[in-house]
Amino acid sequence: MIPHPIATNDNPSKATKVVIALGGNALMEAGTPPTAEEQLKVVKKTCDNLADISCNGYEMAVVHGNGPQVGRLVLQQEIAAASQPDQLPAIPFDCCGAMTEGYIGYQIQQSLRDALRNRNRNVPVVTLVTQVIVDESDPAFEKPTKPIGRFYSAEEAEKVAKEKGWTMKEDSGRGWRRVVPSPKPKRIVELDSVKRLWDSTIVITAGGGGIPVIENMDGSLSGVAAVIDKDLAAERLAEDMETDILLILTEVENVYVNFGKPDQKALSHITVAEAIQYMEEGQFGSGSMEPKVMAAIKFARRFPGKKAIITSLAKAIDALENGAGTIITMA
């Protein structure tokens, strides 16, 4: 087996294990065309940073988001099905998630392999299309919140809701959209495969939070139309792999309080209790920073003495080795 990654001469002890959650800015840049070609350009830059982490002696797995990508794919499906329903029927939402998990993972694994080879580091990289079990009794199924697909008029929304059983909600005055639930991840189906690969391979797994599935009474699995938060899926993986660090990469170098205000303050090292207090104060956006902080809290609670880090991609190495970013620990 090819060793993945080895400890450095300066640190001959066992390599540090880290799960890395990539935010949307690691895949697409604002203001650029939403094409696969433009995405690949950004992914190549991202993988240069990831390769540096590997070369610094860290064992790692990568979890990425897929929000914009799966949204565009669903939109394509709906438009195609509306124009040619017999020849181009829409693909179910769970399959759309699997498709984006595959193509984004393909771009990352290709780019990361090249970046590692350019550094004379021969470590295999593989994408694992990953199913994640959710609880069908999760309260999220009673209150779907994640909008997907195209906009409808009120009349169209009422019709499609009756025909397809979708939950439709008005979206900020722009029209009506389908909404799906965002349940919590319970178990990663392919976890054993990740464990088998870990010592030899960089695994890209649980992309987009993984494909949500429910476990039936007979043990079989069924895909469901839902979205799992990718930061919570990364935390689930980090817990199950008992990694040393959960590294959540986003657009900003730190978590802030009073963000965007004259008295905004960057947080460097906070405890779980402090993070919870800030969250209860409403300091973190529910659709942006809050899920990241929630994931960090969960990991730090599970492993007192270990840490979760939230920072930017550019500061990843500095955060791992020099304390940059926002570090969340139990105490």
Side-chain angles (χ1 to χ4, degrees), residues 306-318:
K306 295 186 178 182
K307 61 185 176 182
I309 305 171
I310 303 174
T311 192
S312 65
L313 180 64
K315 287 289 185 179
I317 290 288
D318 199 18

Side-chain angles (χ1 to χ4, degrees), residues 4-21:
H4 157 59
I6 58 174
T8 65
N9 291 331
D10 293 331
N11 180 19
S13 62
K14 185 179 178 182
T16 301
K17 298 168 64 175
V18 55
V19 165
I20 301 172

